[in-house]
Amino acid sequence: PAELPDMNDPLIDHSEGQLFLNEAFKIIIEEVLCKGTDVKQKVCEWKEPGELAQLLDFELRAAGEPQQRLLQRVKDVAKYSIKTSHPRFFNQLFAGVDYHALAGRFLSEALNTNLYTYEVAPVFVLMETEVLRSLRQLVGWTEGDGIFCPGGSTSNMFAMNLARYQLFPEVKSQGLWAVPRLSIFTSAESHYSVKKGAAYLGIGTDNIVVVKVDEGGRIIPEDLEQKIELTKSQGAVPLLVSCTSGTTVRGAFDPLDRIADVCERHNVWMHVDAAWGGSVLFSEQHRHLMKGVARANSVAWNPHKLLMAGLQCSALLLQDTTNLLKKCHSANATYLFQQDKCYDVNLDVGDKTVQCSRKDDCLKLWLMWKAVGSIGLAARVDKAFNLVRYLVEQMRKREGFHLLWEPEFLNVCFWFIPPSMRGKEGNADYQDRLANVAPVIKERMIKQGTMMVGYQPLGDKVNFFRMIVISTLVSKDDMDFFLDEIERLGNDL
Amino acid sequence: PAELPDMNDPLIDHSEGQLFLNEAFKIIIEEVLCKGTDVKQKVCEWKEPGELAQLLDFELRAAGEPQQRLLQRVKDVAKYSIKTSHPRFFNQLFAGVDYHALAGRFLSEALNTNLYTYEVAPVFVLMETEVLRSLRQLVGWTEGDGIFCPGGSTSNMFAMNLARYQLFPEVKSQGLWAVPRLSIFTSAESHYSVKKGAAYLGIGTDNIVVVKVDEGGRIIPEDLEQKIELTKSQGAVPLLVSCTSGTTVRGAFDPLDRIADVCERHNVWMHVDAAWGGSVLFSEQHRHLMKGVARANSVAWNPHKLLMAGLQCSALLLQDTTNLLKKCHSANATYLFQQDKCYDVNLDVGDKTVQCSRKDDCLKLWLMWKAVGSIGLAARVDKAFNLVRYLVEQMRKREGFHLLWEPEFLNVCFWFIPPSMRGKEGNADYQDRLANVAPVIKERMIKQGTMMVGYQPLGDKVNFFRMIVISTLVSKDDMDFFLDEIERLGNDL
Ligand SMILES: Cc1ncc(COP(=O)(O)O)c(C=O)c1O
Ligand SMILES: Cc1ncc(COP(=O)(O)O)c(C=O)c1O
């Protein structure tokens, strides 16, 4: 046979590689972590897509590039990316930076392992178990199960799949054709992943029954019960109620205790989507918002949102002690989950999920929690509530800010009414003009890069801002700035 | 109202935090990247679960801990984790480290953004588009669509959901009850995510039709065609054929061209699970293994495996130009995907997936590709093939190594026959004894920490080793060491 080419060439020069990583690390510290959290810097450096594509030269080619060029690329990616850790980034349900969590994330990336077997992830198998146990304890469960998922959407979908399997285990092998039509109950204000899940799992979005909410956006348990009964009378089987603790737009908390009563009466799986709100469980002062959560069957909770653990960090928690998660999701692949290993194969947790590769998302949360303790995490939650209270007080003192609802959580939903529109509520074009205010202010805001905040319509309410407070970096000054800036950007409209 | 507590306390000291990150970075370089890739160090520091739990003190408490203690924790996590970048980690379908990719991963973590809107991820929306385009080009498509998913399992499931939606769009709203029974065709050697997907999507594992393979583990197109016809005659609708390019255990490549003929004749969606094998497309020498791939409807490809991009990096590529991905997965949430934005809302790619939060997994691949070019990536693929050829040649020269199949790819499947068993194939207990060899060698190996390699049974073959070559760090010496070490650990059995 022909001589084989040089097989000892490592292709990658490890000391040069580490040097590069060192330089890249410095850029990250400087551009992302120093400038990116500096209130005097911009939140974003807006570019039109065409211009950005030119600036960044995304094209991939046959030949590689010199190290200096690549470091410049690292710098450019940082420069033109949104600074989500900036104290004036109020745009999403995540923000801020925690350095211990970030250290954990760097460590995860460097270790580059998969959380499926004890063999390949001994530390993380045990760590995940403990983190899940601690989260369950806050829910109020001394026993149970759980798993970290790539996002709250997946956590919500797993809950649906578990509820389905518990009711009709044959669905796993025979498919939905073998079982009666299933219905999922949730409010119109729940997260869209409930819809996506119903479609993806083959249940269909038409089989979501929309439950009415009260004026605060909370499920009305009486309506839930009526709809469950109606559904049954129509021959479908009520599968799951997906309640929300902290709805995406309004931040509403569904009344869990009263929903639990209904679920118990009708023997329906109670799922709590606490992706956003779950972290109130750390706070003595605010955990009452989730009173009754211990009666749920499952809880989805994203520490990457309010706790600032970093994307992604989402836990699905279960009260179940019958190994439902594994029974429902397992495929028993013998190449990965051999049964003749030299350790307890129950430590091979990978078959509890529908994923194969799975990241050790527990590490960032664990390290952060070790660093500040439950007390430190509670302080973050409480601080955010206080800032919101302050913001609302200030808003009330200014003309032109119209709060849509009294915030129950950290979502402050409001219209800004420019001076030219004040007192003109009766005009025929008022709603159309109002609908246009937020998009225009938003456009000006991102083009100037001073801050970021989201807006949306909801039901019959035209576009309004949804201000979200998360990051511990945020101060009273930032709240005042926020109001000033909305005025500055919108006063001429 | 009562005075609000101090709201200007940032709770997190940023300069102290950055100092911590700096120290953690040094530990990562030293413990994970220097020691972890040093052939003279151990691949793993085995501990029994109970002992490891004691050593690492996982419990989460009310109070935080001092920085020095936390740095020690970083060190300990690194110390007791498996060194997946070690040149003698042959255990999984991922291994090795690429420093440019790793720099991209650190940058992703620091930027902490979500790839759903242009507004919040301008750089990554454009970058993902370009990376997908480049990957599609290698498949042979000048147009198309795609998305990065949290793992190849998800990519495979998306393909199923797309095929289903294309055939019966009403399934999204009405569920599977509205459509006839669907069948999925794949071989018994395809990845278990096909099974998990069928269960999760509500189709059911019984509706997977197992297609026969030839002696090399490749789908037999004639059997596929017969089974499609049989299925039709039984009233089910053939939904999708899931072929594999690089099967998990054997590394077999299904004959795509001939399968495409069958799929075209019967109008069935052709999916190629190239999670493991896809990277051969970079190599002029080896891309013939996937001849015909351009005729597929979808391809799943994990650059986190052979290309060493780092977990996770998995692309689903589509030939479709009708926006099927978005139509199938979208929920049109107005709070995130507003239609009245100041830029082209087609750039808000987030509704193409069932996720909400989604990581910018494209960055690590992009930076690595920029660094070494397609030529550099091809060299990695070719090097791994050459090492495998060398390993097999050496294996043939030694007594006791029994190759189960001629490797088509980078999976070398073999039995080690200890001296005491040689020539005793006729003995009644031979198979039982043989089945026990790999687990015992594996146990000794991990307890001594010298290397890691996987084993499994397959069909009527009892436990055999599956040796995988990926990392560019691997040398001929490591191949020789591998064989020596198997002998050293197993010669007394
Ligand atoms: C209430 C709620 N549930 C679920 C999710 C989805 O979580 P993820 O983005 O992690 O998929 C969100 C996201 O914002 C949410 O607000
Ligand atoms: C052929 C094949 N397909 C799919 C997968 C699943 O990929 P992931 O682990 O990224 O989910 C694997 C994993 O090893 C595989 O070997």
Side-chain angles (χ1 to χ4, degrees):
Chain A
E3 193 53 35
L4 289 171
D6 181 12
M7 282 176 288
N8 291 328
D9 181 351
L11 298 177
I12 291 173
D13 180 328
H14 279 250
S15 45
E16 198 186 279
Q18 289 175 12
L19 227 64
F20 181 85
L21 194 61
N22 241 307
E23 294 303 309
F25 180 75
K26 285 186 211 155
I27 296 172
I28 291 170
I29 290 275
E30 182 56 29
E31 299 292 324
V32 185
L33 300 171
C34 288
K35 286 197 206 159
T37 57
D38 181 354
V39 76
K40 293 184 292 296
Q41 301 277 337
K42 288 182 174 184
V43 178
C44 69
E45 188 65 53
W46 173 262
K47 296 287 168 203
E48 296 295 332
E51 197 185 349
L52 188 57
Q54 283 246 304
L55 279 165
L56 284 177
D57 170 33
F58 291 108
E59 195 186 329
L60 296 163
R61 308 195 177 85
E65 295 184 348
Q67 303 306 303
Q68 279 312 315
R69 184 83 176 275
L70 294 163
L71 287 172
Q72 186 59 45
R73 293 196 178 283
V74 169
K75 220 171 192 156
D76 289 344
V77 167
K79 178 171 179 184
Y80 296 109
S81 288
I82 306 301
K83 305 305 177 300
T84 65
S85 305
H86 193 284
R88 290 171 185 172
F89 178 81
F90 310 114
N91 208 65
Q92 314 287 157
L93 300 185
F94 65 92
V97 58
D98 177 285
Y99 293 94
H100 296 101
L102 192 54
R105 294 156 76 188
F106 284 11
L107 181 55
S108 285
E109 295 303 313
L111 284 170
N112 196 45
T113 203
N114 251 330
L115 217 181
Y116 39 47
T117 60
Y118 184 78
E119 178 179 331
V120 82
V123 174
F124 302 121
V125 164
L126 300 181
M127 186 185 283
E128 183 177 55
T129 305
E130 185 61 25
V131 175
L132 290 169
R133 205 183 63 76
S134 300
L135 291 173
R136 277 197 311 265
Q137 215 160 34
L138 288 163
V139 167
W141 296 331
T142 50
E143 288 185 300
D145 202 350
I147 192 148
F148 277 85
C149 297
S153 301
T154 301
S155 298
N156 287 340
M157 292 178 200
F158 278 16
M160 291 180 196
N161 199 33
L162 292 167
R164 178 167 76 176
Y165 180 82
Q166 165 143 307
L167 216 50
F168 299 108
E170 63 272 29
V171 83
K172 185 175 176 182
S173 55
Q174 297 174 33
L176 282 167
W177 298 282
V179 307
R181 198 159 57 76
L182 305 172
S183 297
I184 291 168
F185 299 80
T186 197
S187 83
E189 302 197 15
S190 71
H191 188 256
Y192 68 74
S193 49
V194 179
K195 266 195 213 161
K196 290 205 174 188
Y200 194 47
L201 272 66
I203 293 169
T205 51
D206 289 353
N207 291 311
I208 295 177
V209 179
V210 177
V211 182
K212 282 194 197 142
V213 294
D214 64 18
E215 74 299 336
R218 296 169 289 250
I219 278 182
I220 300 174
E222 293 73 21
D223 189 62
L224 171 64
E225 183 144 34
Q226 276 175 24
K227 288 197 168 132
I228 289 177
E229 282 162 2
L230 183 66
T231 300
K232 281 183 178 173
S233 74
Q234 292 166 341
V237 174
L239 177 65
L240 164 139
V241 176
S242 189
C243 332
T244 313
S245 288
T247 57
T248 310
V249 175
R250 292 216 241 178
F253 285 78
D254 288 333
L256 302 183
D257 245 336
R258 292 173 55 215
I259 293 172
D261 292 338
V262 178
C263 288
E264 278 170 17
R265 270 199 292 278
H266 296 275
N267 196 23
V268 182
W269 184 287
M270 176 173 165
H271 173 63
V272 179
D273 174 358
W276 172 220
S279 302
V280 302
L281 292 173
F282 276 98
S283 162
E284 282 308 319
Q285 206 183 336
H286 301 289
R287 54 173 297 129
H288 68 88
L289 289 165
M290 289 181 67
K291 192 166 171 300
V293 64
R295 298 171 66 190
N297 297 86
S298 53
V299 176
W301 178 354
N302 283 11
H304 73 222
K305 297 192 192 283
L306 183 49
L307 296 183
M308 311 197 302
L311 293 158
Q312 298 206 4
C313 190
S314 173
L316 175 69
L317 307 173
L318 298 168
Q319 194 176 160
D320 172 76
T321 54
T322 68
N323 216 9
L324 190 67
L325 196 51
K326 185 153 173 192
K327 287 184 204 152
C328 175
H329 287 157
S330 62
N332 303 306
T334 47
Y335 84 89
L336 192 56
F337 304 114
Q338 303 92 321
Q339 295 303 301
D340 47 11
K341 286 185 177 179
C342 63
Y343 56 83
D344 175 4
V345 293
N346 286 315
L347 292 167
D348 289 354
V349 294
D351 226 9
K352 289 187 180 186
T353 170
V354 303
Q355 297 189 274
C356 174
S357 294
R358 187 167 66 97
K359 298 208 56 164
D360 48 14
D361 289 330
C362 54
L363 172 57
K364 47 194 152 195
L365 176 57
W366 181 81
L367 198 60
M368 177 173 88
W369 197 331
K370 279 283 192 193
V372 301
S374 314
I375 293 173
L377 296 176
R380 295 181 187 183
V381 175
D382 291 340
K383 180 183 171 178
F385 270 93
N386 289 334
L387 280 167
V388 162
R389 204 175 121 196
Y390 174 79
L391 178 70
V392 168
E393 279 169 12
Q394 297 307 309
M395 225 177 231
R396 288 226 167 82
K397 292 181 188 161
R398 301 196 188 208
E399 253 194 294
F401 288 89
H402 182 106
L403 207 60
L404 277 92
W405 306 280
E406 198 58 40
E408 198 175 355
F409 192 33
L410 308 173
N411 312 36
V412 182
C413 297
F414 68 93
W415 280 308
F416 176 68
I417 323 281
S420 74
M421 289 178 62
R422 294 181 194 157
K424 311 249 169 77
E425 291 77 5
N427 287 10
D429 64 347
Y430 184 86
Q431 293 298 326
D432 288 348
R433 283 184 63 193
L434 185 58
N436 202 35
V437 170
V440 172
I441 293 179
K442 176 72 178 260
E443 175 171 0
R444 292 173 175 181
M445 186 189 302
I446 57 180
K447 290 193 172 162
Q448 297 176 29
T450 50
M451 64 182 194
M452 284 182 75
V453 62
Y455 71 85
Q456 66 284 298
L458 183 74
D460 61 352
K461 314 288 191 205
V462 299
N463 282 329
F464 54 89
F465 285 110
R466 179 198 66 170
M467 164 70 174
I468 297 287
V469 180
I470 293 175
S471 172
T472 52
L473 253 190
V474 178
S475 68
K476 275 163 82 168
D477 279 354
D478 296 312
M479 298 290 93
D480 295 330
F481 173 86
F482 176 80
L483 298 173
D484 292 345
E485 186 67 1
I486 293 278
E487 288 174 351
R488 186 182 75 80
L489 295 166
N491 262 345
D492 66 330
L493 293 177
Chain B
E3 194 52 35
L4 289 170
D6 182 12
M7 282 176 289
N8 291 327
D9 181 350
L11 298 177
I12 291 174
D13 180 328
H14 280 250
S15 44
E16 197 187 280
Q18 288 175 13
L19 227 66
F20 181 85
L21 194 60
N22 240 307
E23 294 304 308
F25 180 76
K26 284 185 211 155
I27 295 172
I28 291 170
I29 290 276
E30 181 56 29
E31 298 292 324
V32 185
L33 299 172
C34 289
K35 285 198 206 159
T37 56
D38 181 354
V39 75
K40 294 185 292 298
Q41 300 278 336
K42 287 182 173 185
V43 179
C44 69
E45 188 64 52
W46 173 263
K47 296 286 167 202
E48 296 294 334
E51 197 185 350
L52 188 57
Q54 283 246 303
L55 278 166
L56 284 177
D57 171 31
F58 290 108
E59 194 186 328
L60 296 163
R61 306 193 178 86
E65 295 184 348
Q67 303 306 302
Q68 279 313 315
R69 184 82 176 276
L70 294 164
L71 287 172
Q72 186 59 44
R73 293 195 177 283
V74 168
K75 219 172 193 155
D76 289 344
V77 167
K79 178 171 179 184
Y80 296 109
S81 288
I82 305 301
K83 305 303 178 302
T84 65
S85 305
H86 193 284
R88 290 170 185 172
F89 177 80
F90 309 113
N91 207 66
Q92 314 288 156
L93 300 185
F94 65 92
V97 58
D98 177 284
Y99 293 94
H100 296 100
L102 191 55
R105 294 155 75 188
F106 284 10
L107 181 55
S108 286
E109 295 303 315
L111 284 170
N112 195 46
T113 203
N114 250 331
L115 218 181
Y116 39 47
T117 61
Y118 184 77
E119 179 180 331
V120 81
V123 173
F124 302 121
V125 164
L126 301 181
M127 186 184 282
E128 182 177 55
T129 306
E130 185 60 27
V131 175
L132 289 168
R133 206 183 62 76
S134 300
L135 291 174
R136 279 198 308 267
Q137 214 159 35
L138 289 163
V139 167
W141 296 332
T142 52
E143 289 185 299
D145 203 350
I147 192 147
F148 277 85
C149 297
S153 301
T154 301
S155 298
N156 287 341
M157 291 178 200
F158 278 16
M160 289 179 196
N161 199 34
L162 292 167
R164 179 167 76 175
Y165 181 82
Q166 166 145 305
L167 216 52
F168 298 108
E170 65 272 28
V171 83
K172 186 176 174 182
S173 54
Q174 296 173 34
L176 283 167
W177 298 281
V179 306
R181 200 159 55 76
L182 305 172
S183 296
I184 291 168
F185 299 80
T186 198
S187 82
E189 302 197 14
S190 70
H191 188 256
Y192 68 75
S193 49
V194 178
K195 264 195 214 162
K196 290 205 174 189
Y200 194 47
L201 271 66
I203 293 170
T205 51
D206 289 353
N207 291 311
I208 295 177
V209 180
V210 177
V211 182
K212 282 191 197 145
V213 294
D214 65 18
E215 75 298 338
R218 294 168 292 250
I219 278 182
I220 300 173
E222 293 74 19
D223 189 62
L224 171 65
E225 185 146 32
Q226 275 174 22
K227 289 200 166 129
I228 288 177
E229 282 162 0
L230 183 67
T231 300
K232 281 182 177 173
S233 75
Q234 291 166 343
V237 174
L239 178 65
L240 165 139
V241 177
S242 190
C243 332
T244 313
S245 289
T247 56
T248 310
V249 175
R250 291 217 240 179
F253 285 78
D254 287 333
L256 302 184
D257 245 336
R258 292 173 55 215
I259 292 172
D261 293 338
V262 178
C263 288
E264 279 169 18
R265 269 198 293 280
H266 296 275
N267 196 23
V268 182
W269 184 289
M270 176 172 166
H271 173 63
V272 179
D273 173 359
W276 171 222
S279 302
V280 301
L281 292 173
F282 276 98
S283 162
E284 283 308 318
Q285 206 184 336
H286 300 291
R287 55 173 296 130
H288 67 89
L289 288 166
M290 288 181 67
K291 194 165 168 299
V293 64
R295 298 171 67 190
N297 296 85
S298 54
V299 176
W301 178 354
N302 283 11
H304 73 223
K305 297 191 192 285
L306 183 49
L307 296 183
M308 310 197 303
L311 294 157
Q312 295 204 9
C313 190
S314 172
L316 175 69
L317 306 173
L318 297 169
Q319 192 174 165
D320 174 75
T321 55
T322 68
N323 216 10
L324 189 67
L325 196 50
K326 186 151 172 194
K327 286 184 204 152
C328 175
H329 288 155
S330 63
N332 303 306
T334 47
Y335 84 90
L336 192 56
F337 305 113
Q338 303 92 322
Q339 295 303 301
D340 47 11
K341 285 186 178 178
C342 64
Y343 57 81
D344 176 3
V345 293
N346 286 316
L347 292 168
D348 289 354
V349 295
D351 226 8
K352 289 187 180 186
T353 170
V354 304
Q355 297 190 274
C356 174
S357 294
R358 187 166 67 95
K359 297 209 57 166
D360 49 12
D361 289 330
C362 54
L363 172 57
K364 48 195 151 193
L365 176 57
W366 180 80
L367 198 61
M368 177 174 88
W369 197 332
K370 278 284 190 193
V372 302
S374 314
I375 294 173
L377 296 176
R380 296 181 186 182
V381 175
D382 291 340
K383 180 182 170 178
F385 270 93
N386 288 335
L387 280 168
V388 161
R389 204 174 122 197
Y390 174 79
L391 178 70
V392 168
E393 279 168 12
Q394 297 309 309
M395 224 177 233
R396 288 227 167 80
K397 291 181 187 159
R398 300 196 188 208
E399 252 194 298
F401 288 89
H402 181 105
L403 207 59
L404 277 90
W405 305 280
E406 197 58 40
E408 197 174 357
F409 192 32
L410 308 173
N411 311 37
V412 182
C413 297
F414 69 92
W415 280 307
F416 176 70
I417 323 280
S420 73
M421 289 177 62
R422 294 181 195 158
K424 311 248 171 76
E425 291 77 5
N427 287 11
D429 64 347
Y430 184 85
Q431 293 297 326
D432 287 348
R433 283 185 63 194
L434 185 58
N436 201 37
V437 170
V440 171
I441 293 180
K442 176 71 178 259
E443 175 171 0
R444 292 173 175 181
M445 185 189 303
I446 57 179
K447 290 192 172 163
Q448 298 176 27
T450 51
M451 64 182 193
M452 284 182 75
V453 61
Y455 71 84
Q456 66 284 298
L458 183 74
D460 60 353
K461 315 287 191 205
V462 299
N463 281 330
F464 54 88
F465 284 111
R466 179 197 68 170
M467 163 70 173
I468 297 288
V469 180
I470 294 175
S471 171
T472 53
L473 252 191
V474 177
S475 68
K476 276 163 82 167
D477 279 354
D478 296 313
M479 299 291 93
D480 294 331
F481 173 85
F482 177 80
L483 298 173
D484 292 345
E485 187 67 2
I486 294 279
E487 288 174 350
R488 185 181 75 81
L489 294 167
N491 262 346
D492 66 329
L493 293 178

